Amino acid sequence: MANSKRNWGKEIKDVGMLIIIIGVIMVGLVLYLFVGDSDSTLSYFVDEHVLFLAVGGGVLLIVGIITRSIGKSKETKSEKKD
């Protein structure tokens, strides 16, 4: 148990990846509106919330990329310290 110290950079990077995945799903739902079946319940849901999904997904992608890069730099600093 020599390395029992938590690596906060890795955890921040993982949270950033989760935010990116959620953003990609939201933007993917908007793209599904143009390609998918127009009679499905999912298409109706996306059609009603297209602005929220498009803007929210884009913002989440940007925030996730920034969070992941911050976590990556902290992880690198932590590895150099050890």
Side-chain angles (χ1 to χ4, degrees):
M1 294 196 44
N3 193 5
S4 63
K5 185 179 172 187
R6 290 178 76 171
N7 190 347
W8 287 101
K10 181 170 177 8
E11 292 182 18
I12 293 171
K13 189 174 80 170
D14 292 343
V15 169
M17 281 302 301
L18 179 64
I19 294 171
I20 290 172
I21 290 169
I22 293 170
V24 166
I25 290 171
M26 289 174 74
V27 171
L29 285 173
V30 172
L31 295 176
Y32 174 78
L33 179 66
F34 299 112
V35 178
D37 182 22
S38 62
D39 293 333
S40 70
T41 306
L42 182 61
S43 290
Y44 176 74
F45 173 78
V46 171
D47 190 33
E48 292 293 317
H49 301 91
V50 69
L51 183 63
F52 170 75
L53 289 171
V55 173
V59 168
L60 283 178
L61 283 172
I62 293 169
V63 169
I65 290 169
I66 292 169
T67 305
R68 186 175 182 278
S69 66
I70 290 171
K72 205 170 192 179
S73 68
K74 287 192 179 293
E75 183 181 28
T76 304
K77 285 181 186 177
S78 175
E79 287 175 355
K80 286 182 181 178
K81 218 183 243 188
D82 292 337

